[in-house]
Amino acid sequence: MSTATTPESEGSADATASRPARLIQNEATTEIPVHLLFRDDPDPQPVPVRPTVVARRQGTGEQPRVRRPVQAAPRPAVPRADPELTERRARVLPGAAGVLAGVCGVAGCAATTWWAGLLPTLAARAAHLPLTPGAGLEPAQWGAYAGAGALALFGFGGLARGRTGGAWALGLFGRYRGTVRRTGLLWVNPLLLRRRVDVRLRHWRSEPMPAADGNGVALRVVALVVWRVRDTARAALGVDDHETYLRECVEAALARVPVDLPGTGRAAGEATGDTLTRLVAADVAPVGLEVFSVRPVRVEYAPEVAAVMQRRQLAVLDARHRATVLSSVVDSVEDTVTRLTVRGLVALDDYERKALVKDLTVAFCAGRGES
């Protein structure tokens, strides 16, 4: 038996060796060896992407087509902020330097006056200075006067007082030069243009602005915004009026967000306020403003729909009142009839029971109406 099985096994081995690898092939795909689909390679090598040739369909006469790999569209570059409109610290000196320069300039002017002999006799004697014969103002004295006067002007003209909650945006010939947030006595270049910026936390209450609820009913909303200036360069140079720009951003946010009426619940109002805060904060961030909260403090119907909505609310309240009264009357009638029947005070058939229920209902409704 072993002799018979040996040739068969050898024949099957030869057939396996001579048989080509099985392939997956159809009309729309290329040939892929089966053993490549189940290869367990922990670190496969990258395969270069080449144009794929799709075979033509049999019997159609269609020519082979080349399918090129689809390349992803390049992403647009994110615009960067203009470095000229980004807040940076300005170079300033302590106020003592300006005072010292101003005093030196004044002293230089006095010395030049004495040098030119223009100092009065009484002033010279009071200062214990020797009298000099005055020859008038010569070019040297004029130059000394100019230098001392310029030093005094620059020294005293550059003095400034920094306050808490305020800042200066400095500019020179239309170009931003930095921001001063320090407090106390400072010396700032007098040639620089100073623009005061309030960086304190502020509250802004808007006027009634148009809005709409979830059903599209016109509303009037008064919003309270808590905000401050975060970047003085963008806030001072980006917009003219902060409150005007803030009002426009709030109006744009109200046009996109449905506002809930006051009676709809506290959670709905908080959700509306959070959504408005997120939208307004994103709109004002490019101009250097920071918004902490936007809350609708008063919501009312627009004048053109106020009368209609008021009648509608009155009708709803009247319907609720009627339903409440009817339920109370039905419960009272049922309790009365049940007690009379259970205690055996009356024996009623169906006709008599209906008549009693009718009379009791009319009586209770009349009594409710009079009360």
Side-chain angles (χ1 to χ4, degrees):
M1 184 176 296
S2 60
T3 306
T5 57
T6 301
E8 184 179 355
S9 60
E10 293 177 355
S12 61
D14 296 338
T16 304
S18 61
R19 183 182 303 170
R22 298 180 61 186
L23 303 176
I24 298 177
Q25 182 179 6
N26 56 21
E27 297 179 358
T29 60
T30 57
E31 299 180 355
I32 304 176
V34 176
H35 68 279
L36 294 180
L37 298 177
F38 305 94
R39 183 177 62 181
D40 188 10
D41 191 355
D43 188 11
Q45 298 295 330
V47 180
V49 180
R50 298 179 179 179
T52 305
V53 179
V54 183
R56 62 181 180 179
R57 300 179 182 177
Q58 297 180 358
T60 59
E62 184 180 358
Q63 297 296 329
R65 295 170 297 173
V66 178
R67 181 180 300 171
R68 300 186 180 279
V70 179
Q71 298 180 356
R75 296 182 178 180
V78 180
R80 298 183 179 180
D82 188 0
E84 293 293 334
L85 292 181
T86 302
E87 180 179 336
R88 60 179 181 271
R89 183 180 300 178
R91 296 179 180 179
V92 295
L93 297 178
V99 174
L100 181 60
V103 171
C104 291
V106 173
C109 291
T112 304
T113 303
W114 172 78
W115 178 26
L118 302 178
L119 194 65
T121 304
L122 295 178
R125 289 178 180 179
H128 302 285
L129 296 176
L131 295 176
T132 57
L137 293 176
E138 298 180 357
Q141 283 82 5
W142 281 114
Y145 265 125
L151 183 60
L153 289 177
F154 265 77
F156 290 124
L159 293 178
R161 184 178 61 176
R163 299 179 181 179
T164 304
W168 283 308
L170 306 180
L172 180 62
F173 304 120
R175 186 175 182 181
Y176 175 68
R177 290 296 183 179
T179 299
V180 179
R181 287 180 177 262
R182 297 172 56 180
T183 58
L185 188 61
L186 306 171
W187 184 86
V188 184
N189 188 352
L191 297 179
L192 297 176
L193 177 63
R194 308 173 194 175
R195 183 174 297 180
R196 172 72 68 173
V197 181
D198 190 357
V199 296
R200 294 174 296 181
L201 190 67
R202 287 184 277 180
H203 293 72
W204 176 72
R205 186 185 182 95
S206 68
E207 299 177 355
M209 294 182 292
D213 62 358
N215 298 324
V217 179
L219 303 175
R220 288 294 183 270
V221 179
V222 176
L224 181 64
V225 184
V226 182
W227 65 285
R228 71 173 181 180
V229 175
R230 179 175 54 86
D231 193 315
T232 56
R234 296 185 181 182
L237 305 177
V239 292
D240 293 333
D241 189 357
H242 299 153
E243 293 188 357
T244 301
Y245 184 79
L246 195 63
R247 181 179 66 251
E248 294 174 354
C249 292
V250 173
E251 289 180 355
L254 288 174
R256 291 178 287 176
V257 177
V259 180
D260 298 317
L261 294 174
T264 55
R266 183 175 180 180
E270 291 293 335
T272 303
D274 294 341
T275 305
L276 291 174
T277 302
R278 185 175 63 256
L279 294 177
V280 176
D283 291 340
V284 302
V287 295
L289 303 183
E290 185 176 8
V291 173
F292 296 95
S293 67
V294 180
R295 290 291 182 269
V297 294
R298 191 177 70 186
V299 181
E300 57 187 11
Y301 289 106
E304 58 270 15
V305 298
V308 178
M309 297 307 298
Q310 185 177 6
R311 289 196 298 268
R312 180 180 178 183
Q313 289 181 350
L314 293 177
V316 171
L317 293 177
D318 185 58
R320 291 179 181 177
H321 177 69
R322 290 177 179 274
T324 303
V325 170
L326 183 59
S327 300
S328 177
V329 168
V330 171
D331 293 340
S332 300
V333 170
E334 181 182 5
D335 183 61
T336 302
V337 174
T338 302
R339 287 185 179 185
L340 292 175
T341 307
V342 171
R343 293 182 182 182
L345 298 178
V346 293
L348 303 174
D349 55 6
D350 293 341
Y351 178 78
E352 294 176 346
R353 181 184 295 274
K354 292 180 180 178
L356 179 61
V357 168
K358 180 180 178 180
D359 295 339
L360 290 176
T361 302
V362 173
F364 286 157
C365 289
R368 295 278 181 159
E370 293 177 359
S371 60

